[in-house]
Amino acid sequence: MARIPTPNRVRGTQDIFGDEQRRFAHVLDTFERVRRLYCFGRVEVPVFEATEVFARSIGETTDVVSKEMYTFADRGGDSITLRPEFTAGIARAFLTNGWQQHAPMKLATSGPVFRYERPQKGRFRQFHQIDAEVIGAAEPAADVELLVMADQLLHELGINDGVTLQLNTLGDAETRDAWRAALVAHFEAHRDALSEESLARLVKNPLRILDSKDPRDRPVADAAPDIDAYLTAEARGFFDAVTVGLDAAGVKWTRNPRLVRGLDYYRHTAFEFTTDRLGAQGTVLAGGRYDGLIGSLGGPETPGVGWAAGVERLAMLVAELAEGLRVEVIPDAPHLEIDAHAAAATLRSAGIAANVSYRGSAKDRSTRARKRSDTLLLYVRADGRLNLNVGSVQVDDIAPLNAILDALGRNRFPVGFVGVNPLDATRQ
């Protein structure tokens, strides 16, 4: 009989395991802890939405909408899209659930997102993001709080070294309109020097020419007028308030006048945390203010600001993590299996990780367990004793050992140490 071929993993997806999974989980755990510190409520939104949610909010002319979205017709004939980002879905939820009464709202979420693009380092077709949004707050204090929160997250992940906060202002609507007109005039005067992609953007999305990576565009883009010449007094005051707030919070930043967001509903603050440790894909967290987004979805004009970060990229910067101290419970004989599982259950109820292998002699189980550098050995003896052995674990603190012994002692197990151990004399 011919062997049935095993299906391959779909290109652009990943199986996350081992140290990679530990770093991935560490990012999510740290994000959850930090968002609670800042009193951001957890929200869950659907993995797919009506296509118009993303087409209207992200913009019909963007690469995400025109090239990268996973869009399909469901059995009812409706056009459905797997979410390529979180903000649009959260904005839709804000409107359809009547959450305006709760504004301003501080919301956070995480989960998989989907974009059909060329897989590369730290970027997949199904990847994962963490996301934080403030909806209904027009004050620059909301921008500051989100940036301080992002900065603390990077510090608590231990990846802040070499990460730079790049900051810019896109001004208010009046500023943006005046700057856009000046940019179009500048780029029109240099049409012959622009790439084909930038010529297309000149009609639909001229601000995006400023961050073009095409070498043909850089001289023209670098010579383009800065936004500062067109800032209204209100827009300048808003940006000054953001920078003063960051300085007061001790968050370091640098001005990048070429940092833009192409869509018209973006206003005021735009920012990216970047690093040189990931090659060309250097952005680890990015966001900005989107005061016109809710209106573009059919709701009342409502201010908003937020950021998102790729979990995979953040995890790549996190140092290797140990899985944590655990106890391997080893029965001396087959008839002690039930006792071994009882001891393991006692440890787990006390919050101590414990494992009982499914098969093998005591010697085999001990040999396998000793290969791990984070595993203590707990032997279940025929005489009813439990003997704890540190094996090859370097335990610098007596607290975890005492916690194990106390947990077992509370359940009336006779416990002691066995083997060469500096604590032999103190706990018998």
Side-chain angles (χ1 to χ4, degrees):
M1 182 176 178
R3 181 179 177 183
I4 299 175
T6 301
N8 290 321
R9 187 178 69 233
V10 175
R11 186 167 187 256
T13 62
Q14 54 183 325
D15 302 310
I16 306 173
F17 183 70
D19 177 62
E20 186 179 17
Q21 191 281 328
R22 286 191 289 274
R23 288 185 278 116
F24 186 96
H26 177 61
V27 171
L28 294 177
D29 291 345
T30 304
F31 173 65
E32 279 295 297
R33 185 173 70 254
V34 171
R35 69 100 182 154
R36 286 194 295 268
L37 290 176
Y38 284 76
C39 302
F40 274 64
R42 176 84 192 190
V43 64
E44 306 294 342
V45 292
V47 172
F48 56 84
E49 299 269 3
T51 299
E52 63 180 333
V53 170
F54 302 114
R56 289 165 63 183
S57 61
I58 300 176
E60 296 277 5
T61 63
T62 65
D63 287 346
V64 172
V65 172
S66 62
K67 301 177 183 178
E68 298 175 2
M69 293 203 316
Y70 279 90
T71 298
F72 57 93
D74 67 8
R75 291 185 178 183
D78 296 323
S79 182
I80 301 297
T81 295
L82 299 179
R83 64 186 180 205
E85 51 92 47
F86 277 106
T87 306
I90 293 174
R92 190 273 310 150
F94 179 82
L95 288 174
T96 58
N97 290 297
W99 292 346
Q100 297 94 322
Q101 61 183 312
H102 304 302
M105 294 188 74
K106 303 199 297 186
L107 301 170
T109 191
S110 62
V113 289
F114 306 85
R115 294 185 187 180
Y116 189 88
E117 56 185 345
R118 184 173 64 86
Q120 51 191 297
K121 185 177 182 180
R123 177 167 290 182
F124 302 88
R125 290 176 177 174
Q126 177 184 317
F127 58 106
H128 301 78
Q129 283 188 342
I130 52 177
D131 183 277
E133 313 282 349
V134 178
I135 300 179
E139 296 80 7
D143 307 49
V144 174
E145 183 176 45
L146 275 166
L147 285 164
V148 174
M149 177 186 180
D151 185 71
Q152 180 168 349
L153 173 68
L154 298 178
H155 275 78
E156 297 211 8
L157 287 172
I159 62 175
N160 55 294
D161 286 346
V163 175
T164 301
L165 168 57
Q166 298 187 20
L167 190 67
N168 197 22
T169 176
L170 303 177
D172 51 18
E174 181 181 345
T175 297
R176 191 182 178 94
D177 289 345
W179 185 40
R180 188 181 190 279
L183 289 174
V184 170
H186 171 77
F187 292 134
E188 284 285 2
H190 298 85
R191 289 181 63 92
D192 294 343
L194 294 175
S195 66
E196 294 78 7
E197 185 176 28
S198 287
L199 287 173
R201 285 175 169 172
L202 182 54
V203 177
K204 299 177 179 179
N205 209 344
L207 270 66
R208 290 295 310 280
I209 300 175
L210 291 175
D211 60 5
S212 171
K213 303 299 188 292
D214 193 310
R216 292 173 291 178
D217 296 327
R218 289 317 317 159
V220 179
D222 291 340
D226 286 341
I227 193 173
D228 288 13
Y230 305 92
L231 287 175
T232 64
E234 179 186 358
R236 188 176 298 278
F238 191 102
F239 188 60
D240 288 345
V242 172
T243 58
V244 167
L246 292 176
D247 291 341
V251 176
K252 297 180 180 179
W253 58 276
T254 183
R255 178 75 186 278
N256 179 359
R258 290 296 183 261
L259 179 60
V260 296
R261 298 287 183 265
L263 302 178
D264 288 341
Y265 60 70
Y266 280 104
R267 302 282 191 275
H268 295 296
T269 316
F271 55 88
E272 292 183 359
F273 287 82
T274 63
T275 180
D276 57 3
R277 293 163 57 191
L278 295 176
Q281 302 300 322
T283 301
V284 295
L285 186 151
R289 177 165 282 276
Y290 48 84
D291 287 354
L293 172 60
I294 302 290
S296 75
L297 290 173
E301 292 301 322
T302 305
V305 59
W307 56 253
V311 177
E312 285 84 353
R313 290 196 190 178
L314 294 174
M316 289 169 65
L317 297 172
V318 172
E320 184 175 344
L321 297 171
E323 192 163 359
L325 201 66
R326 57 186 275 181
V327 178
E328 183 74 23
V329 185
I330 302 173
D332 259 3
H335 71 277
L336 298 173
E337 289 281 352
I338 293 178
D339 299 278
H341 283 283
T346 296
L347 292 171
R348 292 164 184 155
S349 67
I352 298 165
N355 183 63
V356 183
S357 296
Y358 296 121
R359 63 176 66 93
S361 66
K363 181 178 179 181
D364 291 340
R365 297 187 195 198
S366 174
T367 299
R368 288 195 300 268
R370 288 175 186 274
K371 292 179 180 179
R372 298 179 57 98
S373 61
D374 58 358
T375 302
L376 305 177
L377 311 181
L378 181 67
Y379 292 96
V380 180
R381 303 297 190 188
D383 61 3
R385 283 188 71 82
L386 299 175
N387 292 125
L388 186 66
N389 191 320
V390 297
S392 59
V393 180
Q394 299 298 313
V395 182
D396 298 323
D397 186 356
I398 195 174
L401 300 175
N402 279 336
I404 293 169
L405 293 171
D406 289 343
L408 295 170
R410 285 197 303 272
N411 287 272
R412 295 181 300 280
F413 287 100
V415 180
F417 280 104
V418 67
V420 179
N421 190 293
L423 303 178
D424 274 348
T426 61
R427 295 295 297 259
Q428 283 289 348

